[in-house]
């Protein structure tokens, strides 16, 4: 049982090693420019109006951040953007049961905001379908604009399909085209203001990691370490708890959730920081902490993954093919005999979550794995996870920053060229179950004259804690 009076004092005396540079919010003029660019793309595509949709998800999140990028709106909604700039933009929203008010306040550049309601007999004693009600309100606006028989561009994700289906029923004489890729392309390269946002997010991640290092020692639990990590960045302006992965055991990274593991001599702890947010912009890094004496194989794996990140970093520059970063990193694996040259090909690389070679399901090995802390909860580990050895992913990294989801992956087959404004995480990973593992990564921003390591305030070398 955690002694809360002790746990709450673990951060006593903690001070980050650097001052965080806090970016101001994206100025309204930039949102106006984004709308202007969207309207220009719509004109080229011969769309008279564009509808942009984001749906609500559990945890008070949205299914995409298209609305956030266009008008700083953090809830669900459909944004109606006429191509004719003389006609105002309308937002139809508040149709889920989320009780969160718009965190940043007004929707930027929007003439009118309309409240729909989460209709439901069970929820509110009022019959109705929120999807249909939202579309009916949207169609009413389109009718006012004279667009019921027009060419309409649609931007959304897989959860938008039900809305667009109802829209097609309501407007049988309209012509629809998917313009999602247009917005994806517009958001790929970060503006100067957006670069400031991810820079702050990455610094908050570094502060959080330093807090985790401050509290990690034998006898402390993974709950307490994760709490310290979370408190340090949230209290300094982070918008969400990271919500992803902390793995700790004697074999390397487990990429899991806290469960009450007590830190002991020989443990390796991984913080896979994937979702520290600032003003809606995301940073991602990965760090390792070694407690006391670890095995020679574990030392080799830690050194290999840190070396891989540094080899890739040395190749970052505008105009560099993305696959060069992947190839450089995995040369650290071939030099140490962890992979053959052929296996550095993304399509042929063994990795932790791969299926069988024929594409069939891979059986997870059955074997009792002693874990005194897990067994204290009343459960036992009866299988070895993951089912096979290798990196967690068959590539080096992916883009991060504004939209939350990868726009590109750093693979052996990605011939795309790096451009200023691209932000990405490069994380070198390895896990041989019940043997050794590591997950180490930095976040980088490609600049006009090179690059910036956004997570440079902490090292990719493992932090050492005496046992």
């Amino acid at each position: 049982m955690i002694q809360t009076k002790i746990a709450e004092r673990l951060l006593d005396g903690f001070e980050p090693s650097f001052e965080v540079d806090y970016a101001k919010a994206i100025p309204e003029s930039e949102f106006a420019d984004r709308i202007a660019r969207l309207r220009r793309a719509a004109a080229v595509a011969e769309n008279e109006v564009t509808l942009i949709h984001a749906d609500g998800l559990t945890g008070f999140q949205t299914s995409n951040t298209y609305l956030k990028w266009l008008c700083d709106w953090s809830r669900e909604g459909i944004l109606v953007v006429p191509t004719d700039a003389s006609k105002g933009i309308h937002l139809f929203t508040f149709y889920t049961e989320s009780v969160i008010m718009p965190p940043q306040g007004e929707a930027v550049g929007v003439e009118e905001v309309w409240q729909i309601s989460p209709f439901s007999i069970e929820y509110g004693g009022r019959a109705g379908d929120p999807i249909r009600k939202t579309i009916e309100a949207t169609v009413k606006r389109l009718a006012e604009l004279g667009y019921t028989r027009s060419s309409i561009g649609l931007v959304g994700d897989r959860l938008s399909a039900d809305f667009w289906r109802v829209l097609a029923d309501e407007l049988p004489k309209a012509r629809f085209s998917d313009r999602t890729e247009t917005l994806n392309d517009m958001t790929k390269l970060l503006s100067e203001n957006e670069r400031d946002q991810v820079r702050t997010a990455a610094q908050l991640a570094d502060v959080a990691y330093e807090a985790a290092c401050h509290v990690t020692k034998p006898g402390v639990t993974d709950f307490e370490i994760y709490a310290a990590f979370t408190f340090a960045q949230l209290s300094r302006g982070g918008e969400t708890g990271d919500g992803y992965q902390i793995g700790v055991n004697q074999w390397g990274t487990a990429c899991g959730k806290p469960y009450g593991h007590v830190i002991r001599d020989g443990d390796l702890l991984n913080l896979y920081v994937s979702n520290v947010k600032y003003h809606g912009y995301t940073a991602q890094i990965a760090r390792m902490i070694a407690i006391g004496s670890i095995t020679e194989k574990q030392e080799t794996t830690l050194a290999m993954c840190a070396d891989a990140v540094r080899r890739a970093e040395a190749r970052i520059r505008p105009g560099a093919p993305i696959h060069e970063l992947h190839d450089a990193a995995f040369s650290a694996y071939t030099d140490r005999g962890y992979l053959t040259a052929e296996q550095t090909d993304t399509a042929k690389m063994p990795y932790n979550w791969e299926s069988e070679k024929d594409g069939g399901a891979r059986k997870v090995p059955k074997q009792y794995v002693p874990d005194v802390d897990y067994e204290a909860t009343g459960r036992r580990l009866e299988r070895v996870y993951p089912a096979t050895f290798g990196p967690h992913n068959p590539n080096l990294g992916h883009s991060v920053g504004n939209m939350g989801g990868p726009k590109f992956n750093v693979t052996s087959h990605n011939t795309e060229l790096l451009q200023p404004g691209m932000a990405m995480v490069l994380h070198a990973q390895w896990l041989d179950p019940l043997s050794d593992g590591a997950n180490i990564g930095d976040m980088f921003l490609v600049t006009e004259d090179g690059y910036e390591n956004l997570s440079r305030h902490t090292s990719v070398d493992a932090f050492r804690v005496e046992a």
Side-chain angles (χ1 to χ4, degrees):
M1 179 66 68
I2 297 173
Q3 300 296 316
T4 56
K5 290 184 179 180
I6 297 174
E8 290 164 1
R9 293 200 303 267
L10 285 172
L11 273 172
D12 284 356
F14 170 69
E15 289 290 341
S17 65
F18 63 96
E19 293 290 331
V20 174
D21 297 319
Y22 288 100
K24 291 187 177 180
I26 302 291
E28 292 190 10
S29 59
E30 184 160 323
F31 288 102
D33 177 67
R34 294 171 181 179
I35 291 292
R37 290 163 58 196
L38 179 69
R39 281 175 158 151
R40 174 57 188 162
V44 171
E46 297 294 332
N47 293 138
E48 294 176 75
V49 65
T50 305
L51 308 183
I52 303 93
H53 168 262
D55 213 10
L57 296 176
T58 57
F60 307 109
Q61 302 293 315
T62 53
S63 59
N64 63 63
T65 54
Y66 296 135
L67 297 185
K68 173 72 175 174
W69 192 79
L70 283 169
C71 66
D72 208 20
W73 191 251
S74 299
R75 276 194 61 152
E76 76 285 350
I78 292 181
L79 193 69
V80 179
V81 183
T83 304
D84 183 347
S86 69
K87 298 179 179 180
I89 298 171
H90 285 219
L91 174 64
F92 299 90
T93 185
F94 299 114
Y95 53 76
T96 73
E97 296 173 14
S98 172
V99 296
I100 302 296
M101 296 296 286
Q104 283 74 35
E106 292 293 337
V108 176
V110 172
E111 180 178 305
E112 299 291 353
V113 178
W114 299 85
Q115 181 169 305
I116 306 300
S117 181
F119 285 93
S120 166
I121 295 176
E122 194 281 329
Y123 167 71
R126 305 168 200 197
D129 180 346
I131 293 177
R132 188 163 292 279
K133 292 290 187 181
T134 302
I135 292 300
E136 287 175 354
T138 302
V139 167
K140 181 179 178 182
R141 175 60 182 161
L142 294 175
E144 293 169 351
L145 294 167
Y147 293 155
T148 57
R149 298 175 178 227
S150 299
S151 173
I152 301 174
L154 304 177
V155 175
D157 53 36
R158 60 184 178 81
L159 296 184
S160 305
D162 287 341
F163 288 83
W164 302 153
R165 193 176 300 114
V166 176
L167 181 68
D169 290 342
E170 293 290 321
L171 297 178
K173 296 186 178 181
R175 302 178 305 281
F176 301 101
S177 56
D178 188 348
R179 292 286 174 255
T180 304
E181 196 59 36
T182 298
L183 201 58
N184 286 342
D185 289 342
M186 290 172 61
T187 60
K188 189 170 190 175
L189 301 180
L190 300 177
S191 69
E192 290 295 336
N193 287 314
E194 290 178 299
R195 298 180 197 189
D196 290 341
Q197 310 304 315
V198 297
R199 185 176 292 110
T200 299
Q203 290 179 12
L204 290 172
D206 272 342
V207 167
Y209 171 62
E210 288 191 341
C213 293
H214 180 83
V215 304
T216 299
K217 60 184 178 181
V220 170
T221 68
D222 53 3
F223 286 127
E224 294 169 307
I225 297 167
Y226 204 52
F229 170 96
T230 304
F231 177 83
Q233 60 96 359
L234 284 180
S235 63
R236 288 171 170 81
E239 291 183 335
T240 61
D242 182 59
Y244 199 23
Q245 298 168 343
I246 175 174
V248 53
N249 56 37
Q250 65 267 46
W251 303 298
T253 174
C255 278
K257 299 284 189 179
Y259 65 94
H261 182 94
V262 178
I263 297 297
R264 298 176 179 84
D265 182 29
D267 276 347
L268 280 169
L269 186 150
N270 168 233
L271 283 161
Y272 192 1
V273 182
S274 64
N275 194 32
V276 168
K277 285 186 177 179
Y278 180 77
H279 290 169
Y281 287 77
T282 302
Q284 186 171 140
I285 65 174
R287 294 289 187 266
M288 298 294 296
I289 300 176
I291 295 89
S293 301
I294 59 176
T295 68
E296 183 178 346
K297 185 66 180 297
Q298 289 167 338
E299 292 285 8
T300 301
T301 299
L302 288 172
M304 176 185 71
C305 290
D307 184 25
V309 174
R310 291 188 170 109
R311 292 190 190 195
E313 179 179 358
R315 300 296 186 95
I316 302 173
R317 66 191 186 281
I322 288 176
H323 70 80
E324 278 193 9
L325 279 58
H326 173 101
D327 298 342
F330 283 104
S331 68
Y333 290 60
T334 58
D335 287 352
R336 293 169 173 83
Y338 280 62
L339 294 174
T340 66
E342 182 182 31
Q343 288 175 319
T344 62
D345 185 319
T346 296
K348 299 176 182 178
M349 185 179 294
Y351 71 103
N352 292 157
W353 311 110
E354 70 172 331
S355 62
E356 294 289 0
K357 298 304 181 185
D358 63 0
R362 180 185 292 270
K363 183 183 292 186
V364 176
K366 285 188 176 181
Q367 177 184 331
Y368 167 59
V369 181
D371 188 319
V372 64
D373 301 314
Y374 187 59
E375 290 174 20
T377 71
R379 296 291 188 89
R380 282 166 39 114
L381 285 173
E382 301 287 0
R383 288 177 173 81
V384 178
Y385 301 100
T388 188
F389 72 95
H392 303 322
N393 312 308
N395 55 59
L396 179 62
H398 53 80
S399 59
V400 289
N402 56 346
M403 298 302 284
K407 297 296 182 302
F408 62 83
N409 283 284
V410 182
T411 64
S412 63
H413 56 271
N414 190 342
T415 58
E416 184 177 2
L417 304 183
L418 291 175
Q419 301 178 65
M422 285 184 170
M424 60 190 168
V425 62
L426 303 180
H427 43 38
Q429 307 163 333
W430 183 265
L431 180 57
D432 190 353
L434 307 187
S435 173
D436 57 284
N439 179 14
I440 295 172
D442 268 335
M443 183 171 172
F444 299 96
L445 172 70
V446 184
T447 62
E448 283 69 17
D449 58 357
Y451 73 94
E452 181 181 351
N453 183 340
L454 298 180
S455 50
R456 65 187 179 277
H457 295 94
T458 60
S459 175
V460 292
D461 293 322
F463 183 77
R464 305 289 173 154
V465 174
E466 292 185 5

